Amino acid sequence: MGAALARPDRLPVAALGDGGALMGIAELETVVRLGLAMVIVVYDDEAHGGEMHRFAGHRLDTVTFPPADLAAIARGHGCAAVTVTALPDLDGVAAWLDGPRDRPLLVHAKITRDGGSWWLEEAAKTP
Protein backbone atom coordinates (compact mmCIF):
# COMPACT_ATOMS: atom_id res chain seq x y z
CA MET A 1 0.00 0.00 0.00
CA GLY A 2 2.84 2.35 0.79
CA ALA A 3 4.33 1.94 -2.67
CA ALA A 4 0.92 2.53 -4.26
CA LEU A 5 0.48 5.76 -2.32
CA ALA A 6 4.05 6.94 -2.89
CA ARG A 7 4.10 6.22 -6.62
CA PRO A 8 0.56 6.52 -8.04
CA ASP A 9 2.12 6.70 -11.51
CA ARG A 10 3.31 3.07 -11.22
CA LEU A 11 1.38 -0.20 -10.97
CA PRO A 12 2.25 -1.76 -7.62
CA VAL A 13 2.17 -5.54 -7.27
CA ALA A 14 2.03 -7.29 -3.90
CA ALA A 15 2.89 -11.00 -3.90
CA LEU A 16 2.27 -13.14 -0.85
CA GLY A 17 1.28 -16.59 0.28
CA ASP A 18 -2.16 -17.72 1.29
CA GLY A 19 -1.32 -17.99 4.99
CA GLY A 20 -0.15 -14.39 5.15
CA ALA A 21 -3.06 -13.26 3.00
CA LEU A 22 -5.55 -14.89 5.34
CA MET A 23 -3.88 -13.28 8.37
CA GLY A 24 -4.09 -9.82 6.78
CA ILE A 25 -7.28 -10.21 4.72
CA ALA A 26 -8.88 -7.16 6.37
CA GLU A 27 -6.33 -4.96 4.60
CA LEU A 28 -8.26 -5.52 1.38
CA GLU A 29 -10.85 -3.10 2.75
CA THR A 30 -8.13 -0.48 3.19
CA VAL A 31 -6.85 -0.93 -0.36
CA VAL A 32 -10.39 -0.55 -1.73
CA ARG A 33 -11.25 2.42 0.52
CA LEU A 34 -8.08 4.23 -0.56
CA GLY A 35 -8.89 3.54 -4.22
CA LEU A 36 -5.52 1.93 -4.91
CA ALA A 37 -5.32 0.34 -8.34
CA MET A 38 -2.86 -2.39 -7.52
CA VAL A 39 -2.41 -6.09 -8.18
CA ILE A 40 -2.32 -8.51 -5.27
CA VAL A 41 -1.09 -11.99 -6.16
CA VAL A 42 -1.78 -14.68 -3.59
CA TYR A 43 0.07 -17.96 -4.10
CA ASP A 44 -2.20 -20.59 -2.56
CA ASP A 45 -0.85 -24.02 -1.59
CA GLU A 46 -3.27 -24.39 1.35
CA ALA A 47 -0.46 -24.22 3.90
CA HIS A 48 1.81 -21.92 5.86
CA GLY A 49 4.99 -22.46 3.83
CA GLY A 50 7.60 -21.62 6.46
CA GLU A 51 5.98 -23.84 9.03
CA MET A 52 5.81 -26.75 6.57
CA HIS A 53 9.62 -26.86 6.75
CA ARG A 54 9.91 -26.15 10.46
CA PHE A 55 7.39 -28.90 11.28
CA ALA A 56 8.94 -31.45 8.89
CA GLY A 57 8.62 -34.93 10.34
CA HIS A 58 5.70 -33.91 12.57
CA ARG A 59 1.95 -33.66 12.09
CA LEU A 60 1.19 -30.89 9.62
CA ASP A 61 -2.53 -30.50 10.30
CA THR A 62 -1.89 -27.32 12.29
CA VAL A 63 -0.09 -25.61 9.40
CA THR A 64 -2.30 -26.76 6.53
CA PHE A 65 -5.86 -25.68 5.93
CA PRO A 66 -8.83 -26.47 3.67
CA PRO A 67 -9.37 -24.63 0.40
CA ALA A 68 -10.57 -21.04 0.68
CA ASP A 69 -12.10 -18.99 -2.12
CA LEU A 70 -9.82 -15.98 -1.78
CA ALA A 71 -11.20 -14.43 -4.96
CA ALA A 72 -14.72 -14.44 -3.49
CA ILE A 73 -13.42 -12.91 -0.25
CA ALA A 74 -11.66 -10.19 -2.27
CA ARG A 75 -14.81 -9.47 -4.26
CA GLY A 76 -16.67 -9.16 -0.97
CA HIS A 77 -14.26 -6.38 -0.01
CA GLY A 78 -14.81 -4.63 -3.35
CA CYS A 79 -11.82 -5.89 -5.32
CA ALA A 80 -11.81 -7.30 -8.81
CA ALA A 81 -10.61 -10.89 -8.56
CA VAL A 82 -9.68 -13.92 -10.63
CA THR A 83 -8.71 -17.45 -9.67
CA VAL A 84 -5.88 -18.86 -11.76
CA THR A 85 -5.37 -22.59 -12.15
CA ALA A 86 -4.46 -22.64 -15.86
CA LEU A 87 -3.07 -20.26 -18.48
CA PRO A 88 -6.49 -19.21 -19.91
CA ASP A 89 -7.47 -17.94 -16.46
CA LEU A 90 -4.99 -15.10 -16.96
CA ASP A 91 -7.44 -13.53 -19.44
CA GLY A 92 -9.10 -11.91 -16.42
CA VAL A 93 -5.81 -10.28 -15.48
CA ALA A 94 -5.37 -8.97 -19.03
CA ALA A 95 -8.91 -7.55 -19.00
CA TRP A 96 -8.21 -5.71 -15.73
CA LEU A 97 -4.92 -4.35 -17.11
CA ASP A 98 -6.77 -3.04 -20.17
CA GLY A 99 -8.80 -0.83 -17.84
CA PRO A 100 -10.38 0.99 -16.26
CA ARG A 101 -8.39 -0.21 -13.19
CA ASP A 102 -10.90 1.47 -10.89
CA ARG A 103 -10.32 -1.00 -8.05
CA PRO A 104 -7.56 -3.37 -6.95
CA LEU A 105 -7.19 -6.81 -8.52
CA LEU A 106 -6.57 -9.93 -6.46
CA VAL A 107 -5.12 -12.86 -8.38
CA HIS A 108 -5.81 -16.10 -6.49
CA ALA A 109 -3.03 -18.29 -7.90
CA LYS A 110 -3.67 -21.92 -6.96
CA ILE A 111 -0.28 -23.61 -6.81
CA THR A 112 0.87 -27.14 -6.08
CA ARG A 113 1.88 -28.11 -2.59
CA ASP A 114 5.11 -29.82 -3.57
CA GLY A 115 7.30 -29.31 -0.54
CA GLY A 116 7.28 -25.55 -0.31
CA SER A 117 9.65 -22.81 -1.19
CA TRP A 118 13.35 -23.62 -1.46
CA TRP A 119 14.36 -20.42 0.32
CA LEU A 120 12.00 -21.14 3.22
CA GLU A 121 13.55 -24.59 3.45
CA GLU A 122 16.99 -22.98 3.71
CA ALA A 123 15.75 -20.51 6.32
CA ALA A 124 14.34 -23.34 8.42
CA LYS A 125 17.77 -24.98 8.55
CA THR A 126 19.43 -22.01 10.24
CA PRO A 127 19.41 -21.97 14.05
Side-chain angles (χ1 to χ4, degrees), residues 6-110:
R7 292 295 307 264
D9 58 314
R10 309 272 315 257
L11 175 62
V13 177
L16 60 156
D18 52 334
L22 288 167
M23 286 190 275
I25 202 82
E27 294 303 332
L28 291 177
E29 185 279 331
T30 305
V31 174
V32 170
R33 181 170 29 86
L34 295 176
L36 302 177
M38 62 184 294
V39 177
I40 304 155
V41 181
V42 180
Y43 297 100
D44 182 359
D45 64 355
E46 300 172 7
H48 289 288
E51 285 79 1
M52 292 290 291
H53 296 295
R54 295 190 194 287
F55 285 47
H58 301 282
R59 289 182 45 198
L60 298 177
D61 57 335
T62 60
V63 297
T64 59
F65 32 84
D69 189 343
L70 299 176
I73 294 170
R75 285 187 207 97
H77 282 280
C79 295
V82 298
T83 298
V84 177
T85 59
L87 194 57
D89 298 331
L90 292 173
D91 292 346
V93 176
W96 184 88
L97 288 170
D98 287 342
R101 298 189 198 179
D102 57 347
R103 54 193 173 144
L105 170 68
L106 183 129
V107 179
H108 182 194
K110 300 288 283 181

